């Protein structure tokens, strides 16, 4: 890593722990800063904070005392999930103390170039595809961000021979200053996290920050099928590389005559790609563009796309039992993601859906339910999702207590050739700690059917 002197002898507050806070605090301590960590969880229940305390880092746990902001900090590194209306953050802004997120530190110390991926949907799949393609092309990639190891931890181990492929949320991008990927990607833009950002323009503005520091030497890969994405591109100084699933482009990544193409060159036939779903074609096109711009070849891309069957919990194939195919799409925490999952299959579908009630209806989902023969609902939104099923004319709608109990019910009401799909269209927090836990419960229940 770069031995930067930026933070030497500076008083810095790390607000909120989790993995990113622990990594940021330890890194800043290594760089010679006077670090204070503040986390709401009591010290006795906080092994991460205890570990930092053992390293000689000051720890304040159990609450967020506003008077802590009077201790002369020169920088705040906040957990991405902490909103900017948090009293501690508001106080920092009032005192004109810069507020950043941990990915900014990662960029500042990294010897490796970065490929940054953001957008509403498809970030994890795109990030994984790029990593796998670069790996197949012997380009020594490292993976970081929401998908893998904390970025500042990866950056400490990276050399100039590596490329860091990093998934970036809008929360993380709100807290950047100098951060600049050599290649940035915006997969798509839809309504999301408006409870955090307040308005759609604020959300899109946060996503646009991925390219704010890019120059003419850098690349912005952007969805040409969305005007808001192209508006960001028009305001970027980077070289624009568009991709489109709907039209043939003069340059960039697109589909023509059954081939994925890049800058006029045929890369792979679409029939040879094993990853299901039309929405995944967007992810594939942007990943192909990033991979080729990074120096990998068509052979590496083909090797991955003919074998890669999906990221865990994201339209993940689980098993075939008695000629029924099971797919785990627990990451589908919004209606759009479930619409995309449903569009991926031509076979009759038994859909498992439901979860946290955020107050919305599921009217938008109704047109996408035309291929659903049976609907199993669960969680707080069971009744609402069931109503959408009734509106769609689904004849068999059943309710289960949870995902585990929904699986055998779904199997009982399926036939050979059916797809049994967990795609909840809701967050998991009413019944499960994370969407990963929910997906794991689905997988476990499926295997119990064997």
């Amino acid at each position: 890593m770069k031995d930067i002197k930026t933070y030497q002898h500076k008083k810095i507050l790390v607000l909120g722990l989790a993995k990113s806070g622990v990594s940021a605090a330890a890194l800043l301590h290594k760089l010679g800063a006077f670090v204070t960590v503040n986390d709401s969880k009591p010290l006795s229940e906080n092994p991460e904070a205890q570990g930092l305390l053992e390293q000689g880092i000051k720890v304040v746990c159990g609450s967020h005392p506003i008077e802590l902001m009077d201790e002369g900090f020169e920088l705040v590194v906040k957990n991405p999930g902490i909103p900017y209306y948090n009293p501690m953050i508001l106080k920092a802004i009032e005192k004109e103390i810069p507020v950043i997120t941990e990915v900014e530190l990662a960029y500042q110390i990294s010897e490796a170039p970065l490929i940054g991926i953001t957008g509403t949907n498809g970030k994890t799949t795109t990030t994984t595809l790029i990593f796998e393609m670069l790996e197949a092309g012997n380009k020594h990639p490292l993976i970081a961000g929401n998908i893998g190891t904390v970025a500042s931890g990866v950056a400490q181990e990276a050399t100039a021979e590596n490329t860091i492929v990093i998934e970036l949320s809008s929360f993380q991008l709100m807290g950047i200053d100098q951060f600049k990927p050599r290649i940035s990607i915006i997969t798509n833009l839809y309504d999301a996290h408006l409870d955090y950002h307040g308005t759609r323009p604020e959300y899109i503005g946060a996503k646009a920050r991925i390219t704010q520091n890019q120059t003419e030497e850098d690349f912005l890969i952007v969805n040409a099928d969305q005007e808001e994405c192209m508006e960001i591109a028009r305001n970027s100084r980077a070289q624009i590389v568009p991709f489109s699933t709907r039209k043939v482009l003069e340059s960039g990544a697109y589909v023509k005559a059954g081939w994925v193409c890049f800058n006029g060159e045929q890369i792979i036939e679409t029939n040879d790609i094993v990853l299901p779903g039309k929405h995944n074609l967007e992810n594939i096109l942007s990943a192909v563009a990033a991979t080729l711009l990074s120096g990998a070849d068509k052979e590496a891309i083909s090797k991955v796309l003919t074998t890669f069957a999906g990221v865990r919990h994201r339209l993940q194939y689980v098993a075939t039992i008695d000629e029924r195919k099971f797919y785990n799409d627990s990451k589908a925490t919004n209606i759009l993601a479930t619409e995309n999952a449903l569009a991926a299959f031509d076979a009759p579908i038994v859909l498992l859906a439901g979860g946290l009630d955020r107050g919305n209806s599921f009217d938008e989902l109704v047109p996408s339910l035309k291929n659903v023969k049976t609907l199993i609902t669960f969680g707080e939104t069971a009744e609402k999702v069931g109503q959408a099923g009734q509106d769609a004319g689904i004849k068999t709608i059943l309710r289960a207590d949870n995902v585990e109990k929904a699986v055998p019910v779904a199997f009982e009401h399926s036939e050979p050739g059916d797809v049994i799909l967990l795609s909840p269209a809701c967050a998991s927090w009413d019944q499960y700690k994370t969407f990963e836990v929910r997906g794991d419960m689905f997988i476990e229940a499926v295997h119990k059917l064997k």
Side-chain angles (χ1 to χ4, degrees):
M1 75 175 193
K2 295 177 182 175
D3 184 21
I4 61 173
K5 306 298 182 184
T6 311
Y7 302 110
Q8 201 168 41
H9 308 312
K10 287 193 174 181
K11 288 194 69 174
I12 300 175
L13 175 66
V14 175
L15 188 62
L17 280 179
K19 290 181 180 179
S20 65
V22 171
S23 180
L27 172 60
L28 289 165
H29 183 65
K30 184 187 297 186
L31 293 172
F34 301 123
V35 181
T36 298
V37 169
N38 178 219
D39 192 64
S40 60
K41 190 186 295 184
L43 184 60
S44 60
E45 304 170 13
N46 201 327
E48 295 88 356
Q50 293 171 23
L52 293 172
L53 190 62
E54 290 172 2
Q55 295 178 46
I57 295 172
K58 182 180 177 181
V59 172
V60 178
C61 283
S63 67
H64 294 301
I66 196 69
E67 59 271 16
L68 192 62
M69 299 307 302
D70 295 325
E71 293 193 7
F73 294 113
E74 299 170 75
L75 178 72
V76 173
V77 182
K78 79 173 189 70
N79 182 290
I82 297 174
Y84 282 82
Y85 54 77
N86 178 282
M88 300 285 280
I89 301 301
L90 289 175
K91 193 69 172 179
I93 294 170
E94 178 188 322
K95 288 178 168 289
E96 299 184 344
I97 303 170
V99 178
I100 65 171
T101 52
E102 168 267 342
V103 293
E104 175 67 24
L105 298 175
Y107 170 74
Q108 292 180 22
I109 66 166
S110 178
E111 296 179 12
L114 274 61
I115 300 176
I117 301 95
T118 198
T120 304
N121 292 322
K123 297 186 294 297
T124 299
T125 299
T126 303
T127 302
T128 306
L129 282 169
I130 295 169
F131 173 79
E132 296 287 348
M133 290 173 181
L134 293 178
E135 182 88 342
N138 296 313
K139 294 299 179 182
H140 314 295
L142 301 170
I143 197 164
N146 294 334
I147 186 173
T149 311
V150 176
S152 58
V154 173
Q156 291 181 61
E157 306 301 325
T159 71
E161 299 299 313
N162 300 119
T163 296
I164 298 177
V165 187
I166 177 172
E167 178 184 333
L168 296 160
S169 69
S170 56
F171 304 164
Q172 291 169 312
L173 289 168
M174 285 287 287
I176 65 169
D177 179 29
Q178 303 169 31
F179 183 89
K180 182 174 81 74
R182 180 178 177 272
I183 300 172
S184 61
I185 297 174
I186 302 176
T187 59
N188 47 56
L189 294 169
Y190 300 100
D191 284 346
H193 304 303
L194 298 188
D195 53 342
Y196 183 101
H197 292 285
T199 65
R200 184 181 175 97
E202 289 292 327
Y203 170 66
I204 292 172
K207 292 294 191 184
R209 290 172 68 85
I210 196 171
T211 189
Q212 71 177 14
N213 295 318
Q214 288 191 295
T215 69
E216 294 79 2
E217 298 177 352
D218 305 312
F219 297 94
L220 170 60
I221 299 169
V222 66
N223 192 332
D225 296 330
Q226 289 195 319
E227 176 56 30
E228 286 172 311
C229 289
M230 294 307 296
E231 181 63 27
I232 293 172
R234 286 189 282 272
N235 291 313
S236 172
R237 291 175 294 164
Q239 298 177 55
I240 305 305
V241 181
F243 68 87
S244 173
T245 61
R246 302 177 188 171
K247 55 198 174 191
V248 174
L249 304 173
E250 293 183 7
S251 64
Y254 51 90
V255 178
K256 182 180 180 182
W259 282 81
V260 168
C261 301
F262 182 72
N263 288 346
E265 181 181 7
Q266 292 180 333
I267 307 300
I268 185 173
E269 286 192 83
T270 55
N271 287 339
D272 291 335
I273 297 169
V274 298
L275 186 63
K278 295 177 183 178
H279 65 292
N280 273 321
L281 198 51
E282 285 187 354
N283 306 328
I284 289 166
L285 290 173
S286 59
V288 165
T291 301
L292 292 172
L293 290 171
S294 299
D297 55 28
K298 290 195 298 184
E299 287 71 26
I301 291 170
S302 181
K303 180 180 179 181
V304 172
L305 291 180
T306 54
T307 57
F308 182 82
V311 177
R312 191 172 179 84
H313 308 300
R314 294 159 177 84
L315 209 58
Q316 171 200 4
Y317 169 73
V318 177
T320 298
I321 302 174
D322 292 346
E323 299 180 55
R324 286 91 158 162
K325 291 185 177 180
F326 290 80
Y327 286 86
N328 165 30
D329 193 38
S330 185
K331 180 60 170 66
T333 58
N334 56 54
I335 291 172
L336 175 64
T338 295
E339 289 174 340
N340 287 334
L342 292 168
F345 302 102
D346 294 323
I349 297 170
V350 177
L351 176 65
L352 283 62
L356 182 72
D357 191 347
R358 282 176 160 154
N360 59 289
S361 73
F362 292 85
D363 296 345
E364 295 173 50
L365 188 60
V366 172
S368 298
L369 296 173
K370 58 183 180 295
N371 210 33
V372 175
K373 59 181 284 187
T374 300
L375 175 63
I376 317 291
T377 68
F378 53 85
E380 290 179 353
T381 59
E383 187 174 337
K384 288 184 176 180
V385 175
Q387 182 60 55
Q390 290 181 34
D391 294 343
I394 299 172
K395 294 181 180 179
T396 305
I397 301 173
L398 304 166
R399 185 166 181 169
D401 291 341
N402 51 43
V403 167
E404 301 96 302
K405 292 185 178 180
V407 169
V409 174
F411 184 76
E412 181 184 343
H413 288 81
S414 66
E415 297 174 312
D418 289 350
V419 166
I420 298 177
L421 170 67
L422 170 67
S423 190
C426 302
S428 62
W429 303 320
D430 59 331
Q431 293 183 306
Y432 303 94
K433 185 177 181 181
T434 65
F435 72 82
E436 291 96 340
V437 172
R438 179 171 63 188
D440 288 339
M441 293 299 100
F442 174 78
I443 293 169
E444 184 177 331
V446 170
H447 290 311
K448 285 181 179 178
L449 295 173
K450 294 180 178 179

